[in-house]
Every structure is written in structure tokens, then in C-alpha cells.
Amino acid sequence: MNAVAPAITGFDAKALRGDFPALQQEVNGQPLIYLDNAATTQKPQAVIDALVNYYARDNSNVHRGAHALSDRATVAFENARNKVVQFINAGSSKEVLWTRGTTESINLVASSYARSVLKTGDRILVSAMEHHSNIVPWQLVAEACGAEVVPIPVSDAGELDIEAYKSLLDERVKLVAVGHVSNALGTVNPIKLIIDLAHSAGAKVLIDGAQGVPHFDVDVQALDCDFYAFSGHKMYGPTGTGVLYGKEALLEQMPPYHGGGEMIKTVSFEGTTFNDLPFKFEAGTPNIGGAVGLAAAVDYLQGLDRAALAAHERALMQYAHDKAAAFEGLKRIGCAKTIAGAFSFLLEGVHPADVGMLLDQQGIAVRTGDHCAQPIMKQFGIPGTVRASFALYNTFEDVDALFAGLEKAKTFLL
Ligand code: 7TS
């Protein structure tokens, strides 16, 4: 039976494509079908304009100049922070730190929080499906502290094993670090349950929200997570921007991460005192233009009906899965009950890189490889997958094009 695209989703993805200049091009003589959104999304004109306007009019350094441009840059930078505070419902601007992205946000928590609390024999739990950036920073700090990074098992369907997680949660566990959504499998983890269970065992929790924020409304206070990390560039904002949310009481207690200008109150050779939150963690000149661009991305997202957007993305995913079920030789990798963003698969007998190349020749951009998630690939006994990942501007026609492209690829490869 052929999969049929739902006629109406209440969300006009086709119209929104017009907001994204990069989508209006041909690649290899074909209209670009961009399905690599988990790696990075395209940027709407509103974000590009915000960057151009900032650099054309307001560019200056923040928090230090006694002149008009510096005042404007400072106001724009701090307004951008406040926009993020409201976007994730943080308690105040003290709890929102600018970083270069999820990777840096996690490294900050590992180097500052974990390094200062972990003792020999302590444990950090991470799920077996994590991105390397939610594994390696913990390994580095664990090695330095004599602590241990322990994986939470993941089932063959790609779901976190909650019973195994419960049994791992003993007094040795000081920190749990889990992705909101897996970039390799698309699994949406039950993070509220994970957080509550960790707290009842006395552990703190970091959520890697790199693939969560682009798809879901996130309320850090309702979640009660201790830390939430995400990247601007995966949610229609500029590269080199990111956020670490942390509970104020924890951030207060944590030592600085980087030393330099801006993060100090006074410096002397007798002893240096540190700035208040959030500046204690923001040494050096920040990515001011990037923060302004990220605020424009938040505005853009908040200008949409996010419930309708989520329903649209769910319908796209369902449509892709229905088509996949009818496609001979296609094996889905990751079959969790709740999936968002990433649709990972293999074509029987074909290396994923070859599929990616043949799709690219047809103007279809996907990602192939291990998706920086080697442990889960090893568990599944595969070198990697082909991954199509969806964003707000993707349409049912894009999914049709993907499957038509795969049919063509098959004729070349098999
Ligand atoms: N965590 C997850 C779940 C991710 O998907 C990524 C990037 C990161 C952390 C790191 O984010 P960064 O912005 O600091 O690089 N994921 C991918 C991907 O799936 N393809 O390219 C990058």
C-alpha cells in the first residue's frame, strides 16, 4: 500500500520556505532538498537581517564602552539574553550563559561543576545513545577525578532502558547526562522521568537539548533540570552561538570556567574576585552579533504556531516511516515509540556513504556516517546510517523526493 501524505497539517511549510534564501537554489542541477537539519538548520532572512543590521549599525564591544554604539550593543546583547530567558522559562538572566554551542555548554559543566564535586569512585551516567559531546567531556573529567562514566543501556529499538537506569541510580551517581532527543536515532527520551528519578537518588541532571529545542517548547523550570544545553545553529540561529541554562544556586557555587576579562570584579596579585552571574562564566568578548541573531531566531520561532509546527513535523516523520515500511531493502535504525527530527536508515547491502553521494547528485542533502554517536552504532553492529532530518520548512514533497531519490540510487547500486 502506498503511503499517502496528509492533506492538511494546519501548518504552511511551503510558504515558510520563502523565508529561507539558502533553500532557493539548485544543487547539481536540481532544486535543493535540504534534509540535514540535525547537523544545522538554514537561516531565515530575519536572522540574516539581524546580523547584517547589528554589524552595519551597532557593532561595538559590550559592557565597557562609554559611547553610544557600545550602549546599543550592550542593550541588544542583554535583550537577546532576556529573550532566551523567556524562551526556555529560566528563572532569571543569571541562569542563562552564552556559549559557542552545546559542546561548550557541556564542557563548561564538566570542567567547572563536575570537576569540583566528583571524588574517586563517583559515577556519571550517560545514555548509550549520546552524541560524543555528551560523553567525552565526562570521560575527561572522570579520569582527572578518579570517577567513572557508566552508560545507561539502550534497547534494540533505540529506547533508554528505564529499569536498568533505576538500578544504576545508587549513591555513587552524582550526575546524569542525557540527550533530550537522539541525533542519531531520533529517540525522544522521557526526560522528565529521568530528571525526577535522578533527583530522588540525589544526583544532578544535565539535559543535552541540541535536538530538543528545535522541535519542542522547553520549560526548564517545569522540567526541573539542573542544566540544559543547546546550540543556536540547530534552531535557525547563527553558528558559534549556544546556551547553557543552569540553576542559579549551582552556578553560584561553581568555580569559573575560563579566566579573562569580563568574568572578574577585581584583579590583583594578592587575589582576584569574580563577577556576578552570568558574567562569571563569560570571559572575553562574547559573540555579540551571534546573540542578536539567535534572538531573531527565537522571535522567528515564536512567531509561528509551535503546536501546529510540532504536529507538522510529526506528520512528516510518520509519512517517512510509512513510506519506509513499503520500501524494499530499507531498514530503519531506531524504532522508538516517540521519534523527532532524525529519520535514520540503511539500504540493504549498500554503504551509507554511497547512498548519500547518489542523493547529493539529485540535489538531496542528507547526512551519512556515525553521527558522532559511535557507541550506539557499535551496539547495532553498523558503521553508520543514512540520516534525513526534518525542519519546519520541509514538506511531504521533500519526503517524496527522498524516496524517489532512493529508488534511483538503488538502481545504480544494486
Ligand atoms: N548533542 C547533540 C544531541 C547533537 O546532535 C550535537 C550536534 C551536539 C550535541 C553538538 O552540538 P554543537 O552545536 O556543539 O556541535 N549534532 C550534529 C549532528 O547530528 N550532525 O552534525 C552535528
Side-chain angles (χ1 to χ4, degrees):
M1 192 188 72
N2 282 338
V4 179
I8 311 168
T9 64
F11 185 81
D12 198 348
K14 247 182 230 160
L16 293 174
R17 284 175 98 84
D19 294 342
F20 291 80
L23 298 177
Q24 321 302 319
Q25 61 181 304
E26 294 196 342
V27 168
N28 294 324
Q30 306 287 330
L32 170 64
I33 311 278
Y34 188 77
L35 297 172
D36 194 18
N37 296 288
T40 200
T41 56
Q42 297 303 339
K43 319 305 172 197
Q45 189 64 47
V47 168
I48 298 166
D49 287 347
L51 287 167
V52 169
N53 288 338
Y54 170 76
Y55 284 112
R57 278 175 15 98
D58 300 332
N59 175 54
S60 186
N61 214 324
V62 286
H63 302 141
R64 53 188 81 166
H67 59 85
L69 266 61
S70 178
D71 285 344
R72 291 211 298 257
T74 304
V75 167
F77 184 64
E78 291 305 327
N79 281 348
R81 191 194 309 273
N82 288 329
K83 187 141 295 201
V84 173
V85 169
Q86 173 249 323
F87 181 57
I88 59 171
N89 194 31
S92 79
S93 60
K94 292 179 178 177
E95 298 187 321
V96 169
L97 315 183
W98 294 118
T99 64
R100 285 187 292 129
T102 308
T103 303
E104 189 178 39
S105 297
I106 298 173
N107 275 279
L108 192 162
V109 177
S111 298
S112 170
Y113 177 74
R115 196 175 281 260
S116 61
V117 301
L118 289 180
K119 306 268 178 308
T120 306
D122 284 346
R123 289 182 149 192
I124 303 164
L125 302 187
V126 302
S127 94
M129 69 179 109
E130 294 311 308
H131 187 279
H132 298 160
S133 64
N134 200 22
I135 299 175
V136 183
W138 309 119
Q139 289 177 324
L140 294 174
V141 73
E143 179 151 44
C145 299
E148 200 185 352
V149 178
V150 179
I152 308 164
V154 168
S155 72
D156 289 343
E159 288 178 332
L160 200 137
D161 182 339
I162 291 291
E163 289 312 310
Y165 172 54
K166 283 183 189 162
S167 65
L168 282 169
L169 276 173
D170 59 24
E171 69 294 340
R172 289 173 294 180
V173 177
K174 297 297 181 294
L175 198 81
V176 175
V178 169
H180 192 162
V181 177
S182 157
N183 69 311
L185 310 176
T187 308
V188 181
N189 283 314
I191 54 170
K192 181 62 184 149
L193 176 64
I194 290 167
I195 293 164
D196 290 346
L197 287 168
H199 285 167
S200 33
K204 303 291 185 221
V205 186
L206 175 138
I207 300 296
D208 170 351
Q211 305 292 348
V213 162
H215 303 292
F216 302 112
D217 275 328
V218 170
D219 180 333
V220 289
Q221 292 192 70
L223 285 172
D224 195 29
C225 52
D226 299 288
F227 302 101
Y228 192 100
F230 62 97
S231 300
H233 70 99
K234 293 184 196 290
M235 50 163 284
Y236 313 101
T239 49
T241 63
V243 169
L244 174 67
Y245 159 80
K247 282 184 179 163
E248 184 180 342
L250 286 172
L251 295 174
E252 281 294 358
Q253 139 205 343
M254 285 159 54
Y257 170 48
H258 288 155
E262 193 69 24
M263 52 73 72
I264 51 87
K265 262 196 181 130
T266 63
V267 177
S268 78
F269 290 107
E270 288 69 47
T272 288
T273 58
F274 303 123
N275 208 340
D276 297 326
L277 291 174
F279 311 111
K280 181 172 86 173
F281 291 103
E282 294 181 357
T285 300
N287 183 354
I288 306 158
V292 170
L294 179 51
V298 171
D299 273 340
Y300 184 83
L301 268 176
Q302 290 187 325
L304 305 175
D305 177 343
R306 287 206 84 190
L309 163 58
H312 172 73
E313 289 186 346
R314 266 198 311 277
L316 275 182
M317 188 63 90
Q318 186 59 49
Y319 184 50
H321 285 177
D322 291 348
K323 290 198 89 122
F327 194 97
E328 219 180 290
L330 186 150
K331 182 168 188 263
R332 274 176 55 198
I333 305 295
C335 303
K337 274 184 227 72
T338 325
I339 287 195
F343 165 57
S344 248
F345 61 91
L346 285 171
L347 289 191
E348 243 165 52
V350 184
H351 196 281
D354 294 336
V355 178
M357 192 191 65
L358 284 165
L359 289 175
D360 180 53
Q361 283 173 8
Q362 302 172 66
I364 303 166
V366 295
R367 182 158 180 191
T368 62
D370 61 32
H371 314 298
C372 299
Q374 287 178 10
I376 198 67
M377 297 297 146
K378 191 172 166 200
Q379 175 179 330
F380 289 167
I382 54 177
T385 73
V386 183
R387 182 188 70 185
S389 52
F390 302 117
L392 63 88
Y393 38 68
N394 288 124
T395 59
F396 296 101
E397 286 82 353
D398 290 348
V399 179
D400 288 336
L402 170 67
F403 281 89
L406 288 173
E407 280 295 357
K408 242 193 201 162
K410 240 167 71 169
T411 60
F412 274 102
L413 293 167
L414 292 174

